[in-house]
Amino acid sequence: MEPSLRTALVLAGAGAAGNAWQLGIIAGLDAAGVDTTSADLIVGTSAGSTVAAQITGGLRPAELYSAILAEPRRAAPSPHSTTPQDAGGVPRSSTPGSGPLSGPSYLEWSQQIIDSAADASDMRRSIGAAALGLDDDGGAARWRDIVAARLPNRQWPQQRVLIPAVDAQTGEAVVFDRASGVELVDAVAASTSAMSPYRIGDRRYLNGGYRRSSNADLAAGYRRVLILEPFGGRSRTPVRWGMDLATQVDELRAAGSIVQVVFPDEGSGDVFNANALDPSTRLPAARGGYGQGQALARLLGAFWHGPSWPDA
């Protein structure tokens, strides 16, 4: 069945840098007359879940971009100094009692679990069990406060927003929305959690990126799908698992969606790696995203609005 004439914006994860780049590109597009924040559907994963809540929270993209430019300047990251961050760039120690954990160490920890898993379901169960074994449940309240401070509005918007996460106790994927009975702050806190599962009621949740890379498949049924992917579509899971972005794009197109994927260009610098967790990456990522959004405005405006758009 042909998708209806609706728009979907997919916001993927990538730590502090990914959050800033996506806000930058959205602001750059908006300044050029392309408003992606009014999408009929917004899918936000990990860092992208914070972006989804920010752009639907009542502030215009220009205000969110200006806030990044006004953040205190930080030293450039070094390979041994980064610590896991939330989607907005606040340092977070994920292993209680062991001190800060570097970005590369987190990747090594999770990659070992991925490499030993038989399939995606096994990976989600194993990484959930490993995270529960490391966790200090007392950090949930602190984490909620950090996330809440970054959201301009703590209520779910009227437009459709989907925020995926993974149940750390079962390995099952979940998708939160305004009808799920979970508050927006809690949904974002769950989707951005890495090694410390976030508690909601009697359940514990991990990062939405473990459901599927970018989670673009959640936009199935939408006519035009714009995907902002800071990590360039890279996946740390085997291709045969079908979790990678390219597989999801193929699925969407096969079902009739028109899909446009945007990766960072060189304007943001070399920040989309393990150091993407470091808050010092935010300024170059945001500026690069803003410039890229303005440069792509004509192309993406025609895609977003259709061939009748004035600048098409």
Side-chain angles (χ1 to χ4, degrees), residues 69-283:
L69 300 185
E71 290 174 2
R73 299 294 181 263
R74 299 177 174 93
S78 70
H80 305 293
S81 65
T82 57
T83 55
Q85 321 290 323
D86 78 309
V90 176
R92 180 186 188 203
S93 176
S94 295
T95 310
S98 64
L101 194 74
S102 71
S105 294
Y106 165 68
L107 293 177
E108 181 180 359
W109 173 84
S110 55
Q111 193 64 53
Q112 288 177 348
I113 297 171
I114 293 169
D115 291 343
S116 63
D119 53 31
S121 295
D122 183 39
M123 180 271 293
R124 285 189 284 266
R125 287 191 298 269
S126 298
I127 212 155
L132 287 168
L134 293 172
D135 183 45
D136 170 15
D137 191 32
R142 296 189 300 274
W143 186 235
R144 190 180 198 281
D145 290 342
I146 290 171
V147 171
R150 296 197 167 269
L151 307 187
N153 191 327
R154 301 183 186 183
Q155 304 300 315
W156 285 95
Q158 289 300 312
Q159 72 194 97
R160 193 178 186 211
V161 173
L162 301 180
I163 298 178
V166 170
D167 188 317
Q169 292 152 291
T170 66
E172 294 296 319
V174 298
V175 180
F176 299 117
D177 63 13
R178 69 191 313 269
S180 63
V182 170
E183 294 186 17
L184 177 62
V185 174
D186 291 319
V188 174
S191 190
T192 54
S193 291
M195 293 174 68
S196 295
Y198 181 78
R199 179 181 290 277
I200 303 176
D202 62 352
R203 308 308 303 171
R204 310 285 288 286
Y205 297 96
L206 276 178
N207 195 285
Y210 292 125
R211 177 192 174 273
R212 207 172 183 192
S213 177
S214 306
N215 290 296
D217 61 298
L218 295 176
Y222 285 77
R223 178 62 173 168
R224 301 177 189 277
V225 182
L226 174 61
I227 303 170
L228 303 185
E229 222 300 346
F231 277 152
R234 301 191 300 273
S235 176
R236 296 191 293 138
T237 60
V239 174
R240 67 179 184 277
W241 291 3
M243 292 182 67
D244 60 294
L245 177 59
T247 296
Q248 296 170 67
V249 170
D250 288 344
E251 293 169 357
L252 289 169
R253 288 174 173 160
S257 295
I258 304 170
V259 183
Q260 181 72 54
V261 183
V262 179
F263 302 136
D265 63 16
E266 66 278 1
S268 296
D270 186 19
V271 298
F272 297 103
N273 44 44
N275 285 330
L277 302 172
D278 193 290
S280 68
T281 62
R282 288 176 59 74
L283 182 60

